[in-house]
Amino acid sequence: LIVALTGGIGSGKSTVGEIFTNLGALVVDSDQLAREVLTRGSEGFDHVVAEFGDQILKNGDIDRALLGEIVFKDRAKLAKLESITHPLIRKAFKYFVDQAPAGAIVINQIPLLVESKSNYTFDAVITVSAPEDIRKQRLAKRGLSEAEMDRRIAAQASDSEREAISDFVIHNAGGIDDLTSTVEKIWAKLQILNKGK
């Protein structure tokens, strides 16, 4: 069973992914795949440096923070970056799925599901939503400035756009106990779906 787990920056996707992992899901993080496809010497690295120039390099590696600053200020540059990285990320995810044991529930933690124009096929989609003020509190703890938060939130789809393509929605405004209980209920439903495949 191939499941998408999406949500805006600061919504709590990573925490939900950890809970699913503890329940027995095979969770792959698209952000991690995005880092891997840009490692020095890779096809993605070469394409991105050719497109954006040597100024995005720091000690020979791509400075992801600097690259983020550049692309989140300019939608055309963001689209260009995504046109390079998204096909490579999809290929890496397919490889992960191909290695998974029969009967596994594979969850792709994918922030930009709506933005990637759904170039994936999923058996189910889960969205994690949270009010913007709570998301900003979480992002402040990660060290993002108010301006950075606003830029990144504006560059992403809205909660309503994500929820519109979802089979399950997790409202993550409470504590960890509420969140765990909600995830456990969805996990039970995913297991039923998986048996029906």
Side-chain angles (χ1 to χ4, degrees):
L1 192 78
I2 314 296
V3 180
L5 173 60
T6 193
I9 188 168
S11 61
K13 283 182 307 301
S14 300
T15 306
V16 170
E18 284 168 22
I19 298 167
F20 274 123
T21 298
N22 293 337
L23 291 169
L26 296 179
V27 179
V28 61
D29 181 353
S30 277
D31 281 344
Q32 182 58 39
L33 294 181
R35 281 189 281 278
E36 287 170 13
V37 302
L38 292 181
T39 52
R40 196 187 318 190
S42 69
E43 179 188 350
F45 177 93
D46 293 342
H47 280 304
V48 169
V49 173
E51 180 64 35
F52 292 94
D54 290 346
Q55 81 266 13
I56 63 164
L57 296 177
K58 186 177 180 181
N59 302 324
D61 293 314
I62 291 173
D63 183 337
R64 288 172 53 84
L66 179 58
L67 184 58
E69 264 179 55
I70 292 166
V71 299
F72 284 114
K73 285 180 188 162
D74 184 331
R75 282 189 179 271
K77 287 180 179 170
L78 179 60
K80 185 66 199 174
L81 178 64
E82 289 173 349
S83 75
I84 297 167
T85 58
H86 284 185
L88 296 170
I89 294 166
R90 282 195 292 276
K91 188 174 166 187
F93 178 64
K94 182 182 183 306
Y95 179 79
F96 182 89
V97 170
D98 290 345
Q99 305 305 305
I105 296 178
V106 177
I107 297 180
N108 188 347
Q109 206 168 290
I110 177 169
L112 303 176
L113 178 64
V114 174
E115 297 84 341
S116 68
K117 306 290 180 270
S118 300
N119 284 322
Y120 291 87
T121 307
F122 290 107
D123 298 307
V125 175
I126 303 166
T127 285
V128 185
S129 292
E132 195 170 296
D133 59 326
I134 292 177
R135 289 167 64 187
K136 285 187 167 182
Q137 286 169 21
R138 293 171 184 157
L139 294 173
K141 287 179 187 164
R142 290 194 214 166
L144 267 69
S145 70
E146 190 78 25
E148 275 181 296
M149 292 179 209
D150 289 338
R151 267 202 304 276
R152 292 187 181 215
I153 289 171
Q156 294 186 340
S158 67
D159 279 349
S160 58
E161 286 173 303
R162 279 185 288 266
E163 289 174 16
I165 63 161
S166 297
D167 301 286
F168 305 99
V169 177
I170 298 170
H171 295 285
N172 183 20
I176 191 70
D177 291 345
D178 289 344
L179 186 61
T180 303
S181 169
T182 303
V183 173
E184 285 171 346
K185 286 175 188 153
I186 293 172
W187 177 245
K189 289 175 181 171
L190 292 178
Q191 288 177 300
I192 293 165
L193 268 181
N194 199 22
K195 286 194 180 95
K197 275 198 81 183

